[in-house]
Structure formats: structure tokens, C-alpha cells
Amino acid sequence: MSHTTSKYRLRAPVNVTWEVTYGCNLSCIHCLSDSGKRRQDELNTAACLQLIDMFAKSQVFQLNIGGGEPFSRPDFIDLMDHAHSRGLVTCISTNATLLTDKLAQRLAHPLVYTQVSLDGAKPQTNDRIRGQGSYARILAGLELLRQQDIPVSINTVLTRHNFNELDELDDLARSLGAGLRVSRFRPSGRGLSSWKELNIEASQAAEFSDWLDQHPRVATGDSFFSVSSEERNRLGLNMCGAAKLTCCVSPRGDLYPCAFLQEDDFLAGRLPDQPLHQLWKDAPAFESLRQLEISSCESCHRLSICNGGCPAIAYHTMGSTEHPDPGCLAQCVKTVVAN
């Protein structure tokens, strides 16, 4: 049975993750793109404006803007203004430490949503991952966004260090009038070297599945369908959206299925030199994910819930997307029972 076939090929991606720069003022130990310094080969302003026009022409609905830290680009607000003029919704992922009152005022736009990265309810937990003093600076940025009534969600990458602070993080988000989004840690970028230290244990994954059921307000995007229950999956996506609903553009314009598969094996082409609609339609790297079948999952009772889980984690940990997600709930429960 083919459960991810070409029937998932939409005419264009619904949303695009666009990493606008490699530059970042922090140096988080789990950074998916190994960000730090800006690079000479990043797209310049003119190319970025051309790229935005290409997104609009293809009728992309939303840009998920990340990096690096988007606000480390001097032209970032100008790029956002152009995106909004073309009717594109923007969700900006930021560490919020570079925000000023003036910048926050510029972000007060009906097409702007923000995700602020915070990796612990306590300073010592967050700062262990994101750098000394970052907790206080992030909360200051969150306050600036709150003052402008900008829709904001705290985005937390779930790790062993912050696993026991989930309730506190939820309470903190509520106190700030923010949502909470818990994202899955994946071993790409600097995350590859910190994988063993930060990745949650099988027992924690099973416990987190129960916690999610009790917290329907908490969002996960497509991060945790691997451990979601059937009841929770009715709230949203239950499969990997890479090459089916979404794709990723690097700061250089390289097009990939997702932010966690920015590898040569998955390179579709380069924007804006090549047309997005053609690469989306014909790129072999994209079609391989649309056609992906994981034979060892075919007999699993959870196949209709998780559809094989996250191909990126399988690729980075076992060398191929054709392996099942090692963090799937069925496997985690087996591990817990065995121990």
C-alpha cells in the first residue's frame, strides 16, 4: 500500500520555511542550521525581493521566516514589508533578543505572527542551551511584542533538560498572553553533536504523549505526530509535510524538502535562478519523499496516525529516510516495556 504517493503533490507549497540568514547573535547548542556568522553567499536584498515575488506568484500562503536570527539582517523589515505588500502571511521565528520598541512597532501588522524561542521555564535551564543571560533578554523581547498586541507563541525544543518544566512553560506562556508550541529536537546542524546529550529518553516520549493529550491548547506543528494519540491527531496534521505541503529555502536560495534535510541528497535546485513551481513539481528529491514507503511500518497499528514519523530523524540517525522514525510511540513503548 502506498500511503504517501504523488496524490500529495499540490500545485504549490502551502507554506515555505525561509531561512533568511546564517547570522545569529546566539550560539544555541541544538541549532538546526549551525548558525553564527553571516556568510558572503547569502542572497542579497534584490534577490530576496525577487524571491518574495516568486512566492507570491506561486500563491504560497505563508512564509515561516527563520535563520539564524532574522533581525540580524539589516534589511529584514524591508523584506517583510514587501512580503506583506504581496499579501503573504509571515510567521517570524526569532530569539527576540535584538528587538527594540521601534522594531516591535514595525511588526504590528495583521499579517505578522511571531514565534519566540525559549528553551526553559527557568534561566539556568534555558541558558544552558541558548547561552548565559539569554533568558532575561528573551523575556524582555516577549514583553515588547505583548505591548504591541502581536500574536506570539513561545517555541520550546523539547530536551532532557527542560522535559520536567513543561507545566511551568505552559503557565509562563499563559501569563504572557502567548501560546506554547513544543517542537521536536532533530539531529541536524549543531544538533547532531548534541543529540545524545539532549534527546529525550523513550520513557519521556511516552510520558509526553500523555501530557499532550491533557494539553490540547499546546501546539506541536508536525513535530510530534510520531507520539500523538488518535484523539489529538484530529486537531491537525498527522504526517510529514515535507515536499507535500511545505519546503525550505536556505539563506543561499537552495531549495530543500524541509529545514532538517538541508543535505546534498535532498537539494532540489536554487532560487530565484530556477522557478519554484517547476522545482516543486519535478525535483526528484521531492518526489522521492512523496512516494516514500516504509515497509517495516506497514503492519504497525499506528501507521494511520503517524505515517512513518519524521524522515529527517531516520536519515540523520540511520542514514536513510526508508527507515522508521526511531522515536515513534510504538517503538518507545517497546523500549520501556523491555527495560
Side-chain angles (χ1 to χ4, degrees):
M1 179 184 70
S2 178
H3 53 85
T4 53
T5 67
S6 57
K7 69 180 180 180
Y8 291 113
R9 189 201 294 121
L10 302 178
R11 183 184 55 79
V14 176
N15 61 66
V16 173
T17 295
W18 183 18
E19 298 188 346
V20 294
T21 181
Y22 293 109
C24 189
N25 59 315
L26 300 183
S27 187
C28 305
I29 62 175
H30 59 11
C31 179
L32 72 92
S33 55
D34 196 15
S35 297
K37 294 182 179 180
R38 289 198 66 187
R39 302 182 191 176
Q40 293 292 324
D41 57 355
E42 293 181 13
L43 295 179
N44 61 25
T45 302
C48 286
L49 293 174
Q50 187 180 349
L51 192 55
I52 291 169
D53 289 339
M54 183 178 288
F55 293 146
K57 184 177 180 180
S58 296
Q59 296 185 310
V60 171
F61 174 71
Q62 178 172 303
L63 297 180
N64 298 326
I65 311 292
E69 169 52 46
F71 290 101
S72 68
R73 272 193 77 121
D75 62 355
F76 179 64
I77 289 294
D78 294 331
L79 298 180
M80 291 302 91
D81 286 345
H82 187 64
H84 299 150
S85 74
R86 298 304 308 270
L88 289 163
V89 175
T90 56
C91 181
I92 304 168
S93 294
T94 174
N95 60 42
T97 63
L98 297 180
L99 288 178
T100 62
D101 186 57
K102 184 177 180 180
L103 276 176
Q105 290 177 31
R106 292 286 300 275
L107 291 173
H109 189 285
L111 295 180
V112 170
Y113 298 84
T114 55
Q115 284 187 174
V116 174
S117 299
L118 182 73
D119 284 316
K122 301 172 183 176
Q124 58 269 33
T125 306
N126 173 83
D127 292 3
R128 183 176 180 180
I129 294 173
R130 306 193 69 84
Q132 190 63 35
S134 59
Y135 180 89
R137 296 164 64 196
I138 292 167
L139 258 61
L142 279 164
E143 177 60 21
L144 290 175
L145 295 171
R146 188 193 66 78
Q147 290 173 5
Q148 297 298 326
D149 292 324
I150 297 169
V152 61
S153 178
I154 289 176
N155 186 62
T156 298
V157 177
L158 187 63
T159 67
R160 294 186 191 187
H161 299 330
N162 59 30
F163 180 82
N164 292 324
E165 297 179 13
L166 285 168
D167 287 334
E168 294 172 81
L169 280 162
D170 191 31
D171 290 342
L172 176 62
R174 288 173 184 271
S175 72
L176 294 170
L180 177 64
R181 184 179 191 272
V182 182
S183 294
R184 191 173 177 189
F185 175 45
R186 295 174 172 96
S188 64
R190 281 198 293 275
L192 187 58
S193 59
S194 58
W195 175 250
K196 290 184 179 179
E197 174 192 349
L198 298 181
N199 189 38
I200 59 174
E201 299 175 357
S203 59
Q204 292 175 318
E207 187 178 340
F208 180 61
S209 179
D210 293 335
W211 188 87
L212 281 177
D213 270 352
Q214 298 163 23
H215 296 80
R217 168 183 178 274
V218 176
T220 61
D222 65 356
S223 291
F224 276 109
F225 47 77
S226 57
V227 298
S228 292
S229 66
E230 185 171 359
E231 181 68 26
R232 181 169 178 92
N233 269 356
R234 293 178 184 147
L235 299 175
L237 187 69
N238 70 333
M239 67 176 183
C240 171
K244 308 177 191 75
L245 301 171
T246 186
C247 57
C248 172
V249 181
S250 80
R252 303 180 343 138
D254 293 329
L255 182 67
Y256 299 98
C258 88
F260 302 99
L261 286 175
Q262 296 185 61
E263 306 289 338
D264 290 345
D265 290 346
F266 302 97
L267 178 62
R270 179 169 292 183
L271 308 177
D273 299 335
Q274 297 170 272
L276 173 62
H277 72 274
Q278 199 67 48
L279 294 175
W280 174 262
K281 177 176 177 289
D282 296 331
F286 282 25
E287 191 61 21
S288 67
L289 283 176
R290 293 171 186 144
Q291 300 283 357
L292 181 62
E293 294 182 347
I294 304 172
S295 58
S296 57
C297 293
E298 294 295 339
S299 60
C300 180
H301 68 284
R302 282 184 50 83
L303 180 61
S304 63
I305 301 175
C306 79
N307 283 285
C310 176
I313 293 182
Y315 177 82
H316 288 295
T317 58
M318 291 178 283
S320 171
T321 58
E322 295 181 1
H323 288 286
D325 184 336
C328 74
L329 186 60
Q331 184 59 45
C332 290
V333 169
K334 287 181 182 178
T335 301
V336 171
V337 171
N339 292 336

